[in-house]
Every structure is written in C-alpha cells, then in structure tokens.
Amino acid sequence: VFKHFEQCDEIWHAGDFGNIELATQLATQSGLLLRGVYGNIDGQDIRIIYPEIQRFYCGQVDVMIKHIGGYPGNYDRSVKEILNSRPTGLFITGHSHLLKIGPL
C-alpha cells in the first residue's frame, strides 16, 4: 500500500486499525504524519495512542474524524451536538464501509 502514499502529505485513518503493528507500520514506513482515531475493534494499545475524535485544521479546513459517526441526515448521537454547536468543514467517519457524501 505504501506506493499509494507517494503523493500524500499525511495519512488519515478513521479507525479499526486492527492491531498496533499496522498503526506503527503506517506511521513509520510511510514517513508521513499519521492522524487516526480508534475503532470499535481496536484494543487498549491503540486507544492509548489514538483518540476517539481527532479535530484539526488542514490548511483552512476544519477536519474532524471519528470512527462511528453516522452519515449525512443520520449522524450518531455522539457527534450530533458537536456538529451542531461547532460545525466542521470536513467530517470523516469509518465503521459503515459505505461511502456517503453530503452536506452537514
């Protein structure tokens, strides 16, 4: 997979690394900054390093990543209040294995 990162500045991972070895390998072998959150299958070893929610700026864009976040029109309760009180420019969520893009 590392050949796919050649043109990347960072790696963003929306959870379910599966094991700490994969997270470490992504962070070290790619040579890129790895921003990630833990997923529901991840153990304490990953949860100690990666938070439940990552929020940061990439350029001028406010980015938020959470593993279980829902999708446009059906956001998870855990993020609805956050998105309503402090909207984000880009919300990335994993878990569903389905790509859904829409307005917040």
Side-chain angles (χ1 to χ4, degrees):
V1 299
F2 294 100
K3 68 180 179 181
H4 298 290
F5 301 140
E6 289 174 359
Q7 301 298 313
C8 297
D9 297 320
E10 299 180 358
I11 298 171
W12 299 352
H13 197 288
D16 281 353
F17 285 99
N19 60 62
I20 195 64
E21 291 79 15
L22 175 62
T24 302
Q25 188 177 25
L26 283 172
T28 58
Q29 289 187 13
S30 70
L32 301 172
L33 173 63
L34 173 61
R35 297 181 191 261
V37 296
Y38 68 78
N40 58 298
I41 70 164
D42 294 323
Q44 286 301 318
D45 52 350
I46 291 173
R47 291 171 189 236
I48 289 170
I49 299 168
Y50 298 96
E52 181 179 17
I53 296 174
Q54 279 264 21
R55 188 129 188 201
F56 57 94
Y57 278 87
C58 181
Q60 301 295 316
V61 180
D62 181 9
V63 179
M64 186 168 87
I65 304 174
K66 184 176 187 301
H67 182 64
I68 298 176
Y71 52 87
N74 191 23
Y75 290 110
D76 190 79
R77 283 186 314 212
S78 66
V79 296
K80 263 187 187 177
E81 187 175 318
I82 297 169
L83 292 172
N84 286 333
S85 65
R86 195 171 145 224
T88 184
L90 178 61
F91 179 46
I92 300 169
T93 182
H95 189 67
S96 72
H97 306 271
L98 299 173
L99 175 63
K100 295 194 180 209
I101 301 172
L104 294 176

